[in-house]
Amino acid sequence: MTWFTHEDDTITRATIEELVRRTLAESKERLGITAYGRVLLLPPDITRAHAGVGWITEYFYNLLTEEGAEVHVIPTLGQHVPHTPEDNTWMFGSIPEERIHKHDWKDGVTNVGTVPAEVVREYTGGAVDWEMPIDLNTMTVTQEWDLIINIGHVVPHEVLGFANHNKNYFIGLGGKRLLGSSHMASAVYGIENNLGNLLTPVRRCFNYAEERFLSELKDIYFQVVMDYDDDGALVHTGVYVGDDLDTYLDAARASRAQNITVFDEPVDKIVAVMQADEFRATWVANKAVYRTRMAIADGGELLVIAPGVTRFGEQPEVDDLIRKYGYLSQAEVLELYATQEDMQDIPHGTAHLVHGSSEGRFTITYAPGGLTREEIEGVGYAYMDVEEAQRRYDPAVMQDGWNTMPDGERVFYISTPSAGLWATREKLGGREDATD
């Protein structure tokens, strides 16, 4: 059940710190913990830093160490590039580097079970029929922990409907087989069938796995929801704490109400900015594509201004895959996937080729800081010089929402695409509350 929630137009840092203290107090009472011996904190990686999850993790760490606990931190980065010590200091402040561990998605996982193929088939409506091996971070599942605290930002997500909750385990701490089978299942099912749904097929598979394979863990979820205030600043509006699916559903419903912008008509041009200190590859910067694709008109354009992007994939083999094939339609990828061994070897990378494609409906233009015109056009995107893009669509001048440029061009501007979902009323369809 959800232990408690706190919702307001703006929740201050002081209030969130008070809720962290309450979480630790209730954990002892509800989970029968007499004293904190060893505690594991599982925050998101640097791509969620804007949600304040770094300082929230640091505050948990400091309170627990003051009580004498031995506290460890694993950023749930999946196959993203591990943080540097400088990244960790920037995000987690005073937490010692030796207490922050890198997840190894290839060689640092242990199998705890498998979601059978027939279950995956049922949840995907017959779209796929392969099993999902649940390979998870070895340190998490083989060591003894008095408490595991999952910390994160609930926001619309292209694979799971909404991010966080047990995504921290199954994506953030997952192994190659799990990442591949889950991402490819989501791509086959269809990204636009996932976005904005409370329980997608892959989320259902993860819930199945959590109930059967992780039920012995003493773990809780500390989740935040954010929205824009009247001044256009991104602020915390909800905190949701508990130890089961209801905690996720409560937060996801709040995110659905606050973080989805609905248009009556499709938008001809969207300009989205991906912050340089968080987004360094199209793998993560393509959140701009995922979150806006349901709003863009046929024949329209998405311009992604990404001054920090210097590569395509987070890992070399994924980068090579994107460069080789480019971003392709679902039908093209599935046809190639049947015969190409390199696609079959890293299916999570193959799924990304689908997720990052416009399916030929609209143009995706990239203005990256560290990729050339030839590289960008080589994967099927249009190119714009990043300095030219920043001059024309100056983040210091542009306002979130509709902007009319001096020459009369009308664009919809999004300063933080990773914080929401933009879609037409028609595309959103009937995804109201499917939680059974």
Side-chain angles (χ1 to χ4, degrees):
M1 60 178 286
T2 304
W3 292 2
F4 62 86
T5 66
H6 184 93
E7 298 175 324
D8 206 338
D9 291 339
T10 299
I11 302 176
T12 64
R13 179 166 179 160
T15 298
I16 292 176
E17 290 176 348
E18 179 184 336
L19 297 172
V20 168
R21 294 192 295 272
R22 178 178 173 183
T23 298
L24 293 179
E26 292 206 18
S27 295
K28 284 185 175 181
E29 178 182 347
R30 292 174 180 270
L31 301 178
I33 300 171
T34 55
Y36 292 117
R38 301 183 75 243
V39 178
L40 180 61
L41 303 179
L42 301 178
D45 70 359
I46 200 168
T47 62
R48 306 279 184 193
H50 62 271
V53 289
W55 63 257
I56 292 171
T57 301
E58 181 187 22
Y59 196 69
F60 267 115
Y61 182 92
N62 289 336
L63 289 178
L64 287 160
T65 53
E66 287 172 7
E67 290 197 33
E70 176 189 328
V71 188
H72 296 265
V73 180
I74 308 177
T76 55
L77 48 85
Q79 58 84 59
H80 293 178
V81 173
H83 292 182
T84 64
E86 292 75 20
D87 291 336
N88 283 332
T89 298
W90 179 79
M91 184 167 179
F92 300 118
S94 61
I95 300 179
E97 178 67 18
E98 63 270 19
R99 290 299 179 93
I100 305 175
H101 306 275
K102 296 177 180 178
H103 171 58
D104 182 350
W105 64 290
K106 291 182 177 177
D107 301 315
V109 297
T110 296
N111 181 263
V112 298
T114 298
V115 180
E118 56 268 26
V119 173
V120 179
R121 184 186 308 115
E122 176 188 349
Y123 290 162
T124 61
V128 300
D129 61 355
W130 52 71
E131 65 183 23
M132 284 188 189
I134 306 301
D135 303 331
L136 300 180
N137 180 275
T138 298
M139 182 176 176
T140 301
V141 297
T142 63
Q143 296 188 20
E144 293 294 324
W145 302 101
D146 294 293
L147 182 63
I148 298 175
I149 305 174
N150 284 277
I151 301 157
H153 180 198
V154 177
V155 66
H157 189 266
E158 56 278 1
V159 173
L160 296 171
F162 291 84
N164 200 233
H165 198 255
N166 57 29
K167 174 182 182 288
N168 275 18
Y169 290 126
F170 301 111
I171 297 296
L173 298 180
K176 179 179 179 179
R177 296 191 302 169
L178 176 53
L179 291 170
S181 59
S182 59
H183 278 77
M184 199 62 194
S186 129
V188 174
Y189 186 73
I191 183 173
E192 294 187 12
N193 295 322
N194 294 316
L195 287 159
N197 275 318
L198 295 182
L199 292 179
T200 67
V202 174
R203 172 71 74 178
R204 291 179 187 272
C205 290
F206 289 173
N207 293 343
Y208 175 100
E210 182 178 21
E211 180 180 342
R212 286 159 179 79
F213 311 133
L214 302 184
S215 61
E216 298 304 312
L217 295 180
K218 282 190 175 181
D219 59 352
I220 60 170
Y221 296 98
F222 187 99
Q223 303 174 125
V224 300
V225 168
M226 305 186 78
D227 196 6
Y228 292 97
D229 66 12
D230 292 339
D231 296 323
L234 199 57
V235 297
H236 292 99
T237 57
V239 176
Y240 305 82
V241 178
D243 61 359
D244 70 356
L245 183 61
D246 284 340
T247 312
Y248 160 74
L249 292 173
D250 288 347
R253 289 188 184 102
S255 176
R256 184 182 61 192
Q258 297 173 42
N259 300 147
I260 300 179
T261 300
V262 182
F263 299 92
D264 291 324
E265 299 293 335
V267 180
D268 288 327
K269 184 165 183 175
I270 291 178
V271 176
V273 175
M274 305 308 291
Q275 289 70 31
D277 51 9
E278 296 183 44
F279 303 100
R280 301 162 187 172
T282 59
W283 179 279
V284 288
N286 272 356
K287 290 180 188 296
V289 180
Y290 313 153
R291 307 296 176 76
T292 65
R293 60 183 305 123
M294 295 170 68
I296 301 173
D298 291 354
E301 182 185 9
L302 168 66
L303 170 62
V304 183
I305 302 175
V309 165
T310 60
R311 59 186 185 272
F312 294 108
E314 288 286 279
Q315 301 295 334
E317 59 267 47
V318 176
D319 192 86
D320 290 343
L321 191 81
I322 298 169
R323 290 175 184 271
K324 177 178 179 180
Y325 294 103
Y327 290 97
L328 301 171
S329 69
Q330 183 191 62
E332 290 171 316
V333 167
L334 293 182
E335 182 177 355
L336 288 167
Y337 183 67
T339 59
Q340 301 303 307
E341 291 185 5
D342 53 355
M343 281 190 167
Q344 295 167 4
D345 183 56
I346 44 175
H348 66 282
T350 304
H352 174 73
L353 304 182
V354 179
H355 288 164
S357 166
S358 72
E359 297 285 332
R361 282 204 312 106
F362 56 90
T363 299
I364 298 171
T365 301
Y366 246 90
L371 291 170
T372 66
R373 175 184 296 274
E374 290 73 23
E375 289 174 306
I376 289 294
E377 292 179 348
V379 301
Y381 291 158
Y383 175 85
M384 186 174 186
D385 178 78
V386 67
E387 292 183 2
E388 178 187 351
Q390 290 174 320
R391 282 195 301 270
R392 178 167 178 79
Y393 306 103
D394 185 351
V397 175
M398 302 290 285
Q399 299 292 317
D400 276 283
W402 290 108
N403 293 253
T404 300
M405 310 310 296
D407 62 1
E409 181 189 37
R410 191 166 182 254
V411 303
F412 193 88
Y413 180 80
I414 303 173
S415 63
T416 313
S418 56
L421 173 65
W422 291 259
T424 63
R425 198 172 306 281
E426 179 183 6
K427 287 270 188 182
L428 276 178
R431 55 195 77 189
E432 284 305 308
D433 202 26
T435 59
D436 56 318

